[in-house]
Amino acid sequence: MQISRQHPHDWDVSPDEAKQIQRRLASEGRETPLPDTVETIAGVDVSVRDDTAQAAVAVLRLPDLEVVDEAIHRCKVPFPYVPGLLSFREMPAVLPALKQLGTTPNVFVSDSHGRAHPRRFGLACHMGVLLDVPTIGVAKSILVGTPQGDLGTEKGSRVPLVHDGEMVGTVLRTRTDVNPVYVSVGHRCMLDDAADLMLDCSPTYKIPEPTRQAHKLSQQAEA
């Protein structure tokens, strides 16, 4: 996959500088409809062991969700763990992994937040804006925001996730009677479309299949 960074910046920055970069780039994010036909979707996940980050990308074909491409990249962890600054810790490992892909997916989904973030610029936004590709964030826990209303127990139930009066995501039940996931816009998608697509990508498990497969890949030990 060819990568052309739209808004290049340094990764070796202080936490305060990282927050400034997030605030500056957040205005570049766009909410537009997904492509009429989504044929491939890439899940992105990063595992960290000691001082090594292992980024994994799994590309799945819709609608059968068969894995058609994958990539792994390992590198030293470049940034400390700071809540809200996950992208500065993980994106330096993700970008080289994406370059290894033989295909260019239609949509990317990361195990992270998008606009459901204190500065409206989680990892899914950062990846989408840098590469100008459709991205979706799907997280297992809330970073900011409060669910509005009672979430039904049935698969497909959803309620808004609201922070400071703004709808920043959707609380989505992907399995009946199982804890929900938290879907938010990264870049070049609409929230309802993102939630619908993640539901289509969750035929069996709570975690949508693209990020589930990427997580499995990120856990593989180095050969």
Side-chain angles (χ1 to χ4, degrees), residues 152-157 173-177 199 202-205:
T153 60
E154 295 295 320
K155 176 175 180 173
S157 300
R173 187 92 67 187
T174 52
R175 285 194 69 192
T176 297
D177 291 326
L199 199 58
S202 307
T204 306
Y205 299 96

Side-chain angles (χ1 to χ4, degrees), residues 79-162:
F79 197 87
Y81 173 75
V82 180
L85 297 179
L86 182 69
S87 60
F88 286 85
R89 186 172 170 85
E90 297 190 354
M91 281 299 293
V94 169
L95 292 174
L98 293 175
K99 289 181 180 179
Q100 297 177 37
L101 295 177
T103 57
T104 299
N106 301 127
V107 178
F108 296 76
V109 54
S110 63
D111 179 21
S112 70
H113 291 282
R115 292 187 55 79
H117 180 276
R119 287 168 293 280
R120 304 296 185 262
F121 202 70
L123 188 151
C125 297
H126 209 151
M127 179 167 59
V129 167
L130 280 189
L131 304 180
D132 195 24
V133 294
T135 53
I136 299 167
V138 179
K140 296 182 284 294
S141 61
I142 293 175
L143 181 60
V144 296
T146 303
Q148 302 297 297
D150 296 325
L151 182 66
T153 60
E154 295 295 320
K155 176 175 180 173
S157 300
R158 64 183 77 178
V159 296
L161 181 68
V162 174

